[in-house]
Every structure is written in C-alpha cells, then in structure tokens.
Amino acid sequence: MFRKRRFSCTGWAGSLALVLSVCPTALAQEAEPSGPSPAQASATTERTVHPPELIEAVEAAYPAEARAARREGRVVLKLRIDAAGRVTRAEVVEPAGNGFDEAAQEAALQFRFTPARRGDKAVPVIILYAYEFRLPPEPPPAPEARPAPAPAAREPGPEPAAPAAQTTVGPAKPSIDVMVRGASEADRLRRSAQAVQVIETEDAQRRTADLGEVLARSEGVGVRREGGLGSNARLSLNGLTGDQIRFFLDGVPLDLAGYAHGITNVPVNLVERIEVYRGVVPVRFGADALGGAVNLVTDADIRGTHASASYQVGSFKTYRLTLSARHLHEPTGFFARVNGFYDYTRNDYPIDVEVFDEQGRLSPARVHRFHDGYRAGGGSVEVGFVGRPRAEKLLLRAFYTEHRRDVQHNALMSVPYGEVTYGKQSAGAHLRYAQPFSRRTRFDAVAGYTYTHREFQDLSTCRYDWFGRCVFVLPQRGEIEARAIDQAIEQHNVFARLNLAWNPAPWHSLRFGLSPTYAIRTGKDHAIPADEYDPLTAQRALLSTVVGAEYEARPFAGKLANIAFAKAYVQMARTKEQLPNGNLRDLDRTTHRGGIGDSLRFRFTEAFYAKASYEYATRLPNPEEVFGNGALIIENLHLEPEASHNVNLGLTLERAETAAGLFRFNVNGFGRFAENLIVLLSNGNYFQHENVLSARSVGVEASLGWTSPGDWVALDGYATWQDFRNTASEGAFGKFEGDRIPNRPYLFAGASARVQGSDLLRPRDVLSLTWQARYVEAYFRGWESIGAIDSKLVIPSQLVHALALTYSMKHGDGSVSGTLEVQNLTDEKVFDSFGVQQPGRAANAKLVLEL
C-alpha cells in the first residue's frame, strides 16, 4: 500500500537553494569541470544525502461524507521529518477538500521513517508525499427478475464468503521527489568560519523565563539587572558590556527596530533564534561593535499560513501576552505578517532595607516595593511580495512600541522614590529588498526611519519612606535632587544597510557593506523657566557610517574556511556646548577609524571543528553615550571612540552519537585588549559614560552536554572565567593599574537537567521536568587596591535554581503547551548591583498555542 521513495533532483533543478542542499554531487561537478579530486570526492561522499524510507504507516480514515457522496481525492503533503525519523509537521501543499486534507494529515503525522542521512549523520528532512483516496467501483446493476431455477445439489460444506468491498487509501502515483533540508540555518552558522554561537529558542518559548534569562544561560554571556521585569539590564560578552555590544533584530539595530528599552525586554516568543557574535562581527551588520554583537532572528519562514499566541501569568502581578500570524498567497507572492505583545507587572516583590524605628534608629525591615510598575506593548505589520521575478523579497514593516516604568530608588537602593517615572515610545517603518542579479551576484538592503520619544519626570513634593508613605513635604519639587525634572527628548533616526555579494568562482565569495546611520536629537525640560537656558533644546546630530569588505575562501571542498575583512568608520557629531561664562558655542567633531580582521575554521568532521578569529575593532560612541538618555544618564560631549584587539580560539564538537548517548562540548579561549574603553560610572544619583585609558580581558569559556538514547534525559553545563583588568599606567585611572575593573563578575557557571517522556496520554505528547541553576562568584564594587579587604563593598556569591514542568501536545500542524515554573526556587537574596535586590521566589504559568 505504501511505497519507498526514490531520491531525485530532476524535478527541482530550477531551485538553486534546493540544488545546494539536495544535490551536492551536482554542485561539486559544476565547481570542478575537469572532475573532482580524491579529496573533493571524499568530501562529496560525506555530503551525499540518503533520503528517508517509510517503515511504519497508518492508514487514513476515509471521510464518511465523502464516502457517502462517492467522492475521491488526492492530497499532496509536505512532511517535516526530524533526525529520528518522526514526522513533526504535515502541511497541505495540494488540497483536495471534503475532509481528505485533515484525514491525510492525521495519518501522516503517525508515520515513521528511517532517518535521512548525510554521510554517517542523521539529518532532518522535508519530503513531498501524495496520498490518494479511491473508492471501489460501483457494483453492476442487478439483472431483471426471472424465475429462479431450482437449486442444484452441492457438496456439503461451508457457505462461500461474499467478496468484500475495498477502499484504496495510499500514496499516489507517480512517486513524489524528496527535498532534503540538510543542515539548518543555525547549523550552517555554527559550522561557518564566523565566531558565532547560535541559541535556538524553541524550548525557551514554552518556558516562562524572559530573553535575558535565556541569554544568561550561555557560556561567556552575563546579564545584570537592576530589578524585575522591565528594569534596566546590561549584557556582557567576554568581559565587555553594555553598548560595547551591539544588538540587532533581523539585522536592524535593535533600538531602531522598536525595542529601545533593551534586549532583555524583547518577548522571547517573537524570537526564533539568537546569534551571539564574539568579538568579531561580520561586515553585513555594519556594526561598530567593540566586543561583539547579538542578532535576534524573528520568524524567518515566509511559507504557508501560521499563527501563534502565548499568555503568561506570574508572581508580583505579572502578565505577558504575545500574538503573531503570517500568510503567503502563493499565486501572487503577496505576503503579510503581524505580531504584537503586551507586558504588565507591579514588581511588588519583598526586599530587605533599613528603616527608622520609633526611636529614630535605623533597623532592618522587610517591605514590598511600592513604585516599580512596568507596562509595555506594541506591534508591527509587515506586507509585501516574495518570490517575484524582479524582487525575491520586497517587504515594508511598520511598528509602534511603548514602554513605561516607575523608578523605585536611586542607584544604590538607599533612597526610595514614590513618583519618579520614565517612558519611551518608538515608531517607524523599514523597507527590505533582496534580489539576485545573476547566479553569482546578490543584493540585500534595508532602509528605514525611526522616531523615538523619551520622558523623564520627577515632580513630587513628597519624600517617601520604604512603606510608600509621604513622610514630609519637600521645600521644592523633586525627589532625586533639589529641583524638578520634566524632560522630553525626541530623536529622529534614518539608517540603511546595503550589502552586495559576488561569487567569482565556486568556494569563493566577496561581500561589500555600507551602513550609514543619522540621528538628530532635541528636547525640552518643561520644569526649567522660559527665561533660563535649557541645554536639551539644542539640536544635536550624529552621523555614523561603517564601510566594509570581506573575502571568503573555502578550499579543500569546504574543509577549510577563511574570511578576511577590513572596515572603515566615520562619525560626525554636532551639538552646542555651554562655556563657563554662560555663552554657547557650536561643537563639531569628525572621527575616522579603521579596522581589519580574519576568521578561520578547520573541519575535522561535519560536526567537529576548530575556529580562530581576530579583529581590530572600533566602536563609535552612540547618541545615548554622547548626549545622555534624558534620565539618569547625563551627557559627555568629549568621548573618544573605543578600540580593541579581539582574539578567539576554540574547539567544538556539535554532536557525537555513541551507544551511551549523544555528547557535545565547546571550549573557547578569548582575549580583549581595549583602549579608550567607555564605561558607565555612577556618582550616587546619576550615571555618565567615561573613557578608561586601557583595559584587557582574557579568559576561557566552556560547555558540556549529554543526551541519553531515546532523548529521555539531557544534562548540560557551562562555565566562564574572565580576568578583566585596568592596564592604564597614567591618567585618572593610572593609580589603579593592574586592578580588576570594578563591579564586573569574573566567574560564573550554570547547569541544567531535563527528564522527559513522550506518548503518555496521547500520541505525540511530551511531558518534561527541567531543573536549572546559575552561580556567580562574589566580586568587588570598587577598585580592589583601595581600602581594607574587610571594608570593601562586595556583591556576594549567588546560587539560584529554577524548576519547570512542561506538557505539550501536537495535533495536525498545531500544538499546545503549558508550563508551570518556579524561579529562584530557594528564595535566595540576589544582587547584580551593590545594594539592589532582585526578586526572590516567583511562580509563573504559561500557555502557548501554535496553529
């Protein structure tokens, strides 16, 4: 009834992407007209894909109404088959209606195949599969009634059985070709020469942890928060932190893509994978990054129709909602996508502080935060055309987001605030275009405009205590300092990312990138009298441009890969500066910098390889650092660009399948040797970015994992050690030469364990229990050479646990999952910054629907 499929490429020769993944032999022959060398033939054999074979089939139920009406049908399905041979998705490509589509899908999702293999490795695949519903012919009409002849005598024995009616249900003829997906985009990135770590979020989307927590569970990555959901957070990568790391959403700078409040507050259910580039950033991003970049990739699939929703509720009156949907009208190529999110929390978790007792003495007390609410929401609409003759992709995306946050206390959590607020709104549109001009040339571009509005208000006339009471009336408005603040800052941004790729010969590529960004900022403090000078009213402009070129060669049939590149940076800033005598003058500054780098990868096997990379990186100060944020970060008009020599050397085993299970590991050594390093320093109430003359960070990061046969148990762990020290011998920080840069963790680690079972209550369901832990070693807040060791301000060592129970079910193309999770299981006191306490034990529940 079911047939084994023969693998064929002939029906798909017009698709270059398919030829690359399905027909590596044909590609190798095209690359070497004179015939492949023995090494190339061996490599080609390793890349040859053997399609799956059907070993277990389930017959579809013939729809009752179709049977009664004697209808027949043929349904073509696109089956996604994982590396274990299980069908994970069945999508109707050619529908038949009348209930045939649903019946064929339900049956196909229960098929089992032998895994497709590339060389010796099982790989996920996509196949086209046709299912036919055929009825037996109608019986001939009964003859006219005639007198029945007398029955003939017969031998004794059983009555003969009447012929049974038969229904044909099975694969159609002719057989359908197999499309092998081979390595995913995430796998291709991992195995490229780029210094990148890829974090896939499929499991995280079912869990309740936010994007900051997901990032913090990776080696080399640290995330430090100033509170709960919506609070300020700083991400560090191999020692470098904050804006020394650049953030992107689908290649667009994150603050220009509608998420101006930071990467940790992007809803994880809107992100498909996270790409972490360690110190060496590809030219295509146009990034002036000092220590690396993080690119969030949203739903990159543009095929078919898909919708999803998630809803989360948790402790401290926390609610999170995401919605997304997409549709492609294949005959016209019209594509539309929408998504949205809404977050709300009171953040009223308990904290330990000191309050005045009845005798006026300070004594410890446990109180709830009373002015730490966070509200955020927004959405985007994307429309356009894909797969057209003159535009492989032409999409317009419009978005709007809004974030509002209450400010509970000062930088050290020593003074409570009761009415200080901060908010951001962002709106804009991006136009994306991609088109191959020939078989060897491709052009990709995105350009757009973003408007950002920020508000910071401190207008209270009350001084509050930690119980939320107004304890006395201030002589003037303002809780932070002895003046009122009512700031509004507007910023207009225009940007472009233009990339051109040329493949002059097989295994060789040249890529060029041009990325200008222009920002104009102005504002007003409404609390300043009209007859006084308001420094925010000055128009400030910043033009930053990055130009780059890179050459990639992959000799020995791709066993070796090397990317060499060069970059140039230009920044022009214009603003007004107030002189000591009160006069104003224009301040113009133009900065030129350059950089070079190289990335090398050598592959021992498909999943075992070594990488080395280097970049002399430059980072230009951004508007936030130069002009401040209009709130707690004040301006510094004299910042110099940062520069750093970044080095990586690592070894990766993606997977090794043995009788004892699947093993994986990664180890990477790194060095960052920075000059004019920009750090955010605090004076108690405000922050300001300043240059530190020089610093260096060296360290090692590693991860190790094991998955049992049958995927019942998985264990993973990671650790990072980094030594980040001041190397300035003169200047403001010269007296601290050799000290660790203060207020930075130097040792952190984590571990996770998961047990799961499947097909428990119904086919294709999964129940899993996951434990995770994270440890951070104690570190000093100030310079380690100052003061006695027993009097230093110390952020203590911390060990935090989380436990999650998840149940998921699949039906057809859809799925539903529910998670119950407890974070900070042991209710530890957690600090990322001195004195600023984070939430204790918190329980959350999350429901996710996929259609």
Side-chain angles (χ1 to χ4, degrees):
M1 184 174 295
F2 297 93
R3 290 189 173 189
K4 297 179 181 178
R5 296 303 184 210
R6 294 179 58 84
F7 178 72
S8 171
C9 292
T10 56
W12 304 95
S15 172
L16 177 60
L18 192 62
V19 170
L20 290 175
S21 62
V22 179
C23 306
T25 305
L27 178 64
Q29 291 174 349
E30 181 183 4
E32 300 290 341
S34 59
S37 66
Q40 291 169 330
S42 175
T44 298
T45 301
E46 290 182 5
R47 296 195 307 276
T48 300
V49 177
H50 301 280
E53 294 184 0
L54 184 62
I55 57 175
E56 182 179 332
V58 173
E59 187 169 306
Y62 209 105
E65 293 185 4
R67 181 190 294 273
R70 299 201 57 80
R71 294 192 181 97
E72 299 180 339
R74 179 180 187 271
V75 182
V76 177
L77 301 170
K78 182 187 295 182
L79 305 184
R80 295 176 181 267
I81 303 171
D82 64 16
R86 296 186 295 259
V87 178
T88 61
R89 185 172 183 180
E91 180 181 345
V92 176
V93 177
E94 295 181 12
N98 299 301
F100 293 128
D101 303 342
E102 295 78 6
Q105 282 181 296
E106 188 70 26
L109 287 168
Q110 301 176 62
F111 286 4
R112 289 298 300 271
F113 291 81
T114 61
R117 292 194 170 271
R118 185 187 298 275
D120 295 330
K121 179 185 175 182
V123 295
V125 298
I126 300 174
I127 72 170
L128 289 181
Y129 198 89
Y131 219 106
E132 284 192 352
F133 294 82
R134 293 288 180 263
L135 290 168
E138 293 190 35
E144 294 181 3
R146 295 182 180 177
R154 64 176 180 88
E155 296 290 334
E159 293 286 336
Q166 295 184 355
T167 301
T168 302
V169 182
K173 300 178 182 181
S175 62
I176 303 297
D177 293 339
V178 177
M179 297 185 298
V180 180
R181 182 176 59 190
S184 66
E185 179 63 23
D187 289 335
R188 285 191 288 269
L189 273 174
R190 292 187 186 100
R191 298 168 189 173
S192 71
Q194 301 174 43
V196 62
Q197 177 188 16
V198 182
I199 305 170
E200 296 180 270
T201 62
E202 181 178 357
D203 291 335
Q205 289 178 0
R206 302 188 187 101
R207 301 275 301 277
T208 66
D210 62 16
L211 197 61
E213 184 68 23
V214 173
L215 283 163
R217 292 169 180 168
S218 303
E219 66 271 21
V221 181
V223 177
R224 301 178 58 197
R225 302 173 182 269
E226 297 178 7
L229 177 65
S231 63
N232 289 334
R234 294 174 65 79
L235 182 143
S236 66
L237 182 58
N238 300 143
L240 300 178
T241 188
D243 289 306
Q244 293 155 356
I245 313 300
R246 293 304 196 193
F247 304 101
F248 298 88
L249 182 74
D250 295 325
V252 175
L254 189 66
D255 55 340
L256 303 182
Y259 294 97
H261 201 53
I263 191 170
T264 59
N265 297 304
V266 179
V268 68
N269 282 73
L270 300 181
V271 178
E272 184 178 278
R273 70 173 184 269
I274 308 169
E275 302 167 357
V276 182
Y277 295 86
R278 302 175 180 277
V280 182
V281 182
V283 166
R284 67 178 179 274
F285 289 108
D288 54 326
L290 189 74
V294 178
N295 183 40
L296 306 180
V297 180
T298 60
D299 185 5
D301 198 350
I302 60 174
R303 297 166 297 179
T305 301
H306 179 262
S308 65
S310 70
Y311 179 70
Q312 177 178 332
V313 60
S315 299
F316 320 125
K317 298 179 179 63
T318 299
Y319 307 94
R320 310 195 74 181
L321 172 70
T322 66
L323 299 168
S324 65
R326 70 166 192 266
H327 174 69
L328 173 65
H329 186 250
E330 294 190 11
T332 63
F334 178 77
F335 177 75
R337 178 177 10 228
V338 296
N339 64 59
F341 75 97
Y342 177 75
D343 295 337
Y344 173 84
T345 183
R346 289 280 299 274
N347 274 332
D348 55 350
Y349 58 88
I351 55 177
D352 297 296
V353 296
E354 289 188 333
V355 300
F356 289 100
D357 60 17
E358 295 179 355
Q359 287 74 36
R361 297 171 300 183
L362 284 174
S363 59
R366 191 168 179 82
V367 300
H368 287 263
R369 296 166 77 100
F370 64 92
H371 182 63
D372 198 24
Y374 171 70
R375 300 156 299 281
S380 67
V381 177
E382 187 175 21
V383 295
F385 292 89
V386 297
R388 309 312 297 164
R390 296 188 179 180
E392 180 183 272
K393 186 181 295 184
L394 179 63
L395 298 172
L396 177 66
R397 175 178 178 262
F399 62 87
Y400 173 81
T401 59
E402 181 173 354
H403 303 260
R404 293 195 175 274
R405 180 170 61 90
D406 300 330
V407 180
Q408 174 66 99
H409 50 70
N410 64 346
L412 301 179
M413 210 178 86
S414 58
V415 178
Y417 302 142
E419 298 182 42
V420 181
T421 60
Y422 182 52
K424 293 182 181 180
Q425 299 86 43
S426 182
H430 305 155
L431 181 65
R432 189 179 297 271
Y433 176 75
Q435 176 69 0
F437 294 148
S438 68
R439 292 183 58 194
R440 300 183 183 276
T441 308
R442 179 181 178 83
F443 178 70
D444 293 271
V446 58
Y449 163 80
T450 303
Y451 168 77
T452 304
H453 180 83
R454 308 183 185 199
E455 300 172 353
F456 181 64
Q457 292 183 328
D458 179 17
L459 302 174
S460 175
T461 57
C462 278
R463 173 65 66 195
Y464 289 84
D465 65 8
W466 281 111
F467 297 98
R469 302 174 302 201
C470 179
V471 292
F472 63 85
V473 178
L474 298 170
Q476 77 293 315
R477 293 187 300 171
E479 299 180 69
I480 296 178
E481 54 182 307
R483 71 179 185 93
I485 302 173
D486 188 6
Q487 297 179 346
I489 295 178
E490 296 181 345
Q491 184 167 313
H492 303 269
N493 306 275
V494 180
F495 74 95
R497 296 290 186 272
L498 311 175
N499 293 285
L500 179 66
W502 177 46
N503 302 316
W507 311 109
H508 295 269
S509 299
L510 281 171
R511 294 182 283 267
F512 307 90
L514 173 64
S515 304
T517 303
Y518 183 60
I520 298 177
R521 175 178 291 195
T522 187
K524 183 174 179 58
D525 191 336
H526 298 283
I528 296 178
D531 57 346
E532 295 184 15
Y533 171 68
D534 180 1
L536 291 181
T537 58
Q539 187 178 86
R540 301 170 177 186
L542 199 65
L543 173 63
S544 303
T545 303
V546 180
V547 181
E550 63 185 20
Y551 165 65
E552 179 176 9
R554 291 175 290 136
F556 309 112
K559 197 176 188 68
L560 182 68
N562 188 79
I563 303 174
F565 60 89
K567 300 178 183 178
Y569 311 87
V570 180
Q571 185 177 70
M572 292 181 286
R574 171 173 292 184
T575 186
K576 289 184 182 294
E577 182 180 39
Q578 187 173 24
L579 300 175
N581 61 8
N583 295 330
L584 300 176
R585 69 172 181 181
D586 290 333
L587 178 63
D588 296 329
R589 186 183 66 180
T590 301
T591 304
H592 301 271
R593 293 291 189 275
I596 58 172
D598 191 88
S599 298
L600 179 69
R601 186 226 64 212
F602 181 79
R603 190 180 68 227
F604 303 102
T605 67
E606 188 74 19
F608 183 40
Y609 45 85
K611 289 186 179 183
S613 57
Y614 163 79
E615 181 177 359
Y616 178 64
T618 294
R619 189 182 74 86
L620 307 168
N622 61 31
E624 187 95 346
E625 294 168 330
V626 176
F627 304 138
N629 69 347
L632 299 180
I633 301 176
I634 60 177
E635 65 183 15
N636 186 348
L637 305 179
H638 305 285
L639 283 175
E640 292 294 325
E642 298 174 330
S644 179
H645 298 274
N646 298 336
V647 181
N648 300 293
L649 181 62
L651 188 66
T652 300
L653 175 66
E654 281 188 19
R655 53 188 295 138
E657 298 182 24
T658 69
L662 186 150
F663 293 88
R664 54 193 172 274
F665 78 83
N666 174 68
V667 61
N668 181 62
F670 59 86
R672 307 289 183 262
F673 306 92
E675 302 171 352
N676 286 334
L677 193 67
I678 297 175
V679 296
L680 185 66
L681 302 180
S682 169
N683 62 8
N685 289 326
Y686 285 96
F687 297 88
Q688 186 178 43
H689 292 93
E690 297 182 8
N691 286 105
V692 178
L693 292 182
S694 61
R696 65 113 173 99
S697 174
V698 296
V700 62
E701 59 194 16
S703 64
L704 179 66
W706 169 79
T707 301
S708 69
D711 199 25
W712 297 103
V713 180
L715 304 175
D716 286 278
Y718 68 89
T720 301
W721 175 83
Q722 56 196 25
D723 190 48
F724 193 24
R725 295 184 180 271
N726 174 35
T727 57
S729 58
E730 56 184 17
F733 297 97
K735 59 183 177 181
F736 306 121
E737 182 182 9
D739 282 10
R740 278 198 175 99
I741 299 294
N743 206 22
R744 306 285 179 94
Y746 69 90
L747 176 63
F748 49 94
S752 68
R754 172 185 56 78
V755 294
Q756 74 174 21
S758 58
D759 301 327
L760 302 177
L761 301 179
R762 54 171 294 157
R764 303 171 67 228
D765 71 349
V766 177
L767 178 66
S768 64
L769 181 67
T770 305
W771 164 83
Q772 288 183 305
R774 189 172 76 250
Y775 173 78
V776 180
E777 180 58 71
Y779 53 96
F780 295 130
R781 183 181 183 273
W783 295 102
E784 58 185 358
S785 62
I786 298 179
I789 192 168
D790 57 353
S791 64
K792 293 182 181 297
L793 301 179
V794 177
I795 290 85
S797 302
Q798 296 161 72
L799 177 61
V800 181
H801 304 267
L803 192 65
L805 180 67
T806 301
Y807 179 69
S808 63
M809 299 181 296
K810 293 185 178 181
H811 179 75
D813 286 346
S815 67
V816 58
S817 68
T819 295
L820 298 175
E821 184 165 2
V822 180
Q823 297 172 354
N824 197 351
L825 187 65
T826 55
D827 200 24
E828 295 294 320
K829 293 177 66 173
V830 183
F831 303 89
D832 280 347
S833 300
F834 183 80
V836 181
Q837 191 172 341
Q838 293 188 51
R841 184 186 296 115
N844 296 274
K846 186 174 184 179
L847 179 67
V848 180
L849 299 175
E850 299 276 347
L851 301 174

